[in-house]
Amino acid sequence: MTLHSIRKYRSKAVLYGVLCLCGYAMYAQNPLITDQFTADPSARVFGDRVYVYPSHDIRCDDKEHLRPKWFCMEDYHVFSSENLTDWTDHGVIVSQEEVPWADATAYSMWAPDCIEKDGKYFFYFPAKARDTTLNGKGFSIGVAVADSPEGPFVPQPLPIRGVRGIDPNVMIDKDGQAYLYWSEKHIYGAKLRDNMLELASEPKILRDLPEEGLKEGPFVFESAGTYYMTYPHVAGKTERLEYASGKDPLGPFTYRGVIMDESPDGCWTNHQSVVNFRDQWYLFYHHNDLSPGFDKNRAIRADSLFFNADGSIQKVYPTLRGIGRTQSLGPIHPDRYSDKSKTGVSVTFLNQADTFAGWKTIMDKKEGWIRYNSVDFGKETPGYAVLRVRSGAGAILQLRPGNGNVPVLCDARIPKTETWNTVKVPLHRTITGIHDLVLELLEGTAEIDWMKFE
């Protein structure tokens, strides 16, 4: 990416209220990215890091030629992490303005994927072409190539010939043969040539999947000799995540069941990828956490995924806590909780007009509690708990480990104030290693933004 391009996207970041500076680090639970809208996550392990290639939702109400209240995406970022908690934004890697064949006014850079082969990184993405003689009307699928998973990626001059559709996914089999999957009313599959830029076989409709209802977003992976085809499917009103399995990359596949149910909040889309990182499987997906009133602005999430002994996939239930261990040095956001009391605790945005600012926890009933799992205190015990809080009436908050009958860490007395304050409280005892944390209200009422230890 040129310096001119970087300046250009920084200007757009200001316009859309996001930050896209290369190398920007953020702490995350679910959703993983909270300074911009992200969707359709394709997760890959390259080296000792997980890289996520999502699409990038933006607000596009001022674009008169676009459908109002519809999806609007003009570019792609890539994010990476070595611990699944601290994520780095490596900036824009491809934009509609840089793709020679794409319609730069379409704002239709939908779900992408990326794969490594022979030291090169191939980024696959859908876009609407200016020239409909290439692959007909609608979407084509292009490729951008880089020497690093972070880019810079160079788009190829033309899209893949013979492929019309969206949501590309690539799987490289154990014998080195690469397969491309995509969707366009049906889910298709085909072999790729060694150059990863051309089809090596005719597209095949994978007809072994449920016929009724929209299917899109294929993501194929292999485990223990079985090929798993995962995809979103509208079996009811909104998309749920399903899967099928087979013994060949192009099927036949046998429908196996649901990985994730429809969103209880009514988010119309979902989109998934599945990755194994350090001997644990994870499901990456999206929801409209940061835009509850508009489900075309979404945010990527991740939760752990498990297999049964027969190779079937256990259903994944979405969590706020997500994945990864949070370092005790923080910040720790109790609003991304693992569990809470039935009453006395609620979560809402810090600022309804700026959802990127995150959430706060409201504790307004005595003995209301909230639990946050897997905080790593390391080998050196901290001396203080630090909380960013406010309380109109004053409060006492108790902080304790959640792993059994362990003594209380501290009772934090929160002064009466209408503004946010940072309260620093000495700990009663030493603590090292990994613990769940429980925060309980003993007196008064309080709002909590974050907490940490030092």
Side-chain angles (χ1 to χ4, degrees):
M1 181 181 295
T2 65
L3 178 60
H4 171 72
S5 297
I6 293 173
R7 287 172 176 164
K8 174 177 63 177
Y9 290 114
R10 284 180 179 174
S11 297
K12 291 182 178 179
V14 173
L15 175 63
Y16 298 129
V18 302
L19 179 63
C20 65
L21 302 184
C22 298
Y24 176 68
M26 63 202 78
Y27 300 100
Q29 294 90 43
N30 273 338
L32 301 181
I33 310 301
T34 57
D35 70 336
Q36 60 192 275
F37 297 119
T38 51
D40 310 317
S42 179
R44 296 294 185 182
V45 177
F46 298 135
D48 60 354
R49 299 180 71 86
V50 173
Y51 288 81
V52 180
Y53 299 84
S55 55
H56 180 200
D57 292 335
I58 61 175
R59 297 187 178 99
C60 244
D61 295 338
D62 61 336
K63 305 296 188 298
E64 295 181 1
H65 61 284
L66 298 177
R67 291 170 61 182
K69 303 301 181 182
W70 192 240
F71 301 104
C72 188
M73 300 105 111
E74 67 174 344
D75 57 32
Y76 299 100
H77 289 234
V78 59
F79 303 85
S80 74
S81 175
E82 63 179 358
N83 60 11
L84 303 176
T85 300
D86 307 320
W87 291 89
T88 298
D89 180 358
H90 299 285
V92 175
I93 56 172
V94 172
S95 80
Q96 63 183 7
E97 297 173 355
E98 294 177 334
V99 178
W101 54 268
D103 179 354
T105 68
Y107 292 85
S108 297
M109 310 292 279
W110 290 10
D113 193 14
C114 190
I115 201 78
E116 183 273 335
K117 182 177 173 65
D118 299 330
K120 295 286 187 179
Y121 295 84
F122 297 86
F123 180 76
Y124 297 80
F125 59 93
K128 290 184 177 179
R130 295 193 308 271
D131 183 357
T132 59
T133 63
L134 292 171
N135 288 313
K137 293 183 179 181
F139 284 83
S140 289
I141 291 174
V143 189
V145 185
D147 294 322
S148 161
E150 303 162 10
F153 283 86
V154 178
Q156 298 298 293
L158 294 173
I160 302 175
R161 189 167 295 277
V163 178
R164 185 175 69 220
I166 60 173
D167 301 348
N169 162 241
V170 176
M171 191 273 297
I172 299 179
D173 204 3
K174 296 183 292 293
D175 62 1
Q177 176 64 57
Y179 295 82
L180 175 68
Y181 305 89
W182 68 96
S183 58
E184 205 268 332
K185 296 184 179 179
H186 301 280
I187 290 179
Y188 292 78
K191 291 182 179 180
L192 282 172
R193 295 189 185 276
D194 287 342
N195 64 11
M196 304 295 283
L197 305 176
E198 301 171 277
L199 295 187
S201 67
E202 289 296 316
K204 175 184 178 181
I205 297 176
L206 304 179
R207 296 188 178 277
D208 316 300
L209 309 175
E211 288 293 329
E212 297 297 324
L214 173 68
K215 296 183 298 296
E216 55 182 357
F219 188 90
V220 177
F221 67 96
E222 182 270 337
S223 177
T226 297
Y227 298 91
Y228 291 84
M229 163 67 74
T230 67
Y231 54 92
H233 177 212
V234 181
K237 294 183 178 180
T238 63
E239 289 185 337
R240 68 186 189 187
L241 301 181
E242 299 178 354
Y243 78 107
S245 64
K247 293 299 181 182
D248 185 89
L250 293 176
F253 292 101
T254 301
Y255 174 79
R256 300 294 296 273
V258 176
I259 299 175
M260 180 175 285
D261 290 325
E262 294 182 8
S263 162
D265 302 323
C267 184
W268 182 56
T269 65
N270 204 346
H271 189 104
Q272 79 301 330
S273 59
V274 178
V275 67
N276 187 304
F277 182 59
R278 297 175 182 167
D279 297 323
Q280 173 62 55
W281 289 92
Y282 297 98
L283 175 72
F284 286 74
Y285 60 104
H286 70 229
H287 189 56
N288 60 321
D289 299 81
L290 296 170
S291 180
F294 182 54
D295 64 358
K296 309 303 184 292
N297 287 161
R298 298 152 298 175
I300 61 173
R301 291 173 158 213
D303 277 297
S304 298
L305 180 143
F306 299 93
F307 290 85
N308 295 312
D310 64 357
S312 59
I313 298 175
Q314 296 180 19
K315 186 177 288 187
V316 177
Y317 296 93
T319 73
L320 295 175
R321 175 60 184 87
I323 57 178
R325 291 173 179 167
T326 300
Q327 298 300 309
S328 63
L329 299 181
I332 303 163
H333 293 277
D335 49 78
R336 306 296 87 191
Y337 58 82
S338 303
D339 196 9
K340 69 179 184 67
S341 56
K342 293 182 179 180
T343 61
V345 177
S346 60
V347 171
T348 189
F349 287 110
L350 281 163
N351 181 351
Q352 295 289 343
D354 178 16
T355 60
F356 293 149
W359 297 266
K360 63 182 177 181
T361 303
I362 300 173
M363 306 187 78
D364 56 9
K365 186 176 181 180
K366 185 178 180 180
E367 297 182 355
W369 57 268
I370 198 162
R371 191 181 81 241
Y372 185 100
N373 287 355
S374 298
V375 176
D376 190 351
F377 287 86
K379 297 180 180 180
E380 295 186 12
T381 187
Y384 296 89
V386 181
L387 300 92
R388 186 173 189 262
V389 292
R390 70 179 180 185
S391 173
I396 298 177
L397 294 169
Q398 184 177 92
L399 191 59
R400 63 179 184 271
N403 314 46
N405 297 320
V406 183
V408 170
L409 288 174
C410 66
D411 290 335
R413 190 172 295 276
I414 311 303
K416 181 178 179 180
T417 176
E418 297 295 335
T419 60
W420 287 100
N421 282 300
T422 301
V423 176
K424 187 174 181 179
V425 185
L427 300 185
H428 299 329
R429 54 174 295 265
T430 61
I431 183 170
T432 58
I434 298 168
H435 297 269
D436 298 346
L437 288 178
V438 173
L439 188 66
E440 182 176 343
L441 180 68
L442 300 185
E443 291 183 14
T445 62
E447 298 179 9
I448 304 98
D449 182 4
W450 51 256
M451 56 188 182
K452 65 177 182 178
F453 295 84
E454 60 181 43

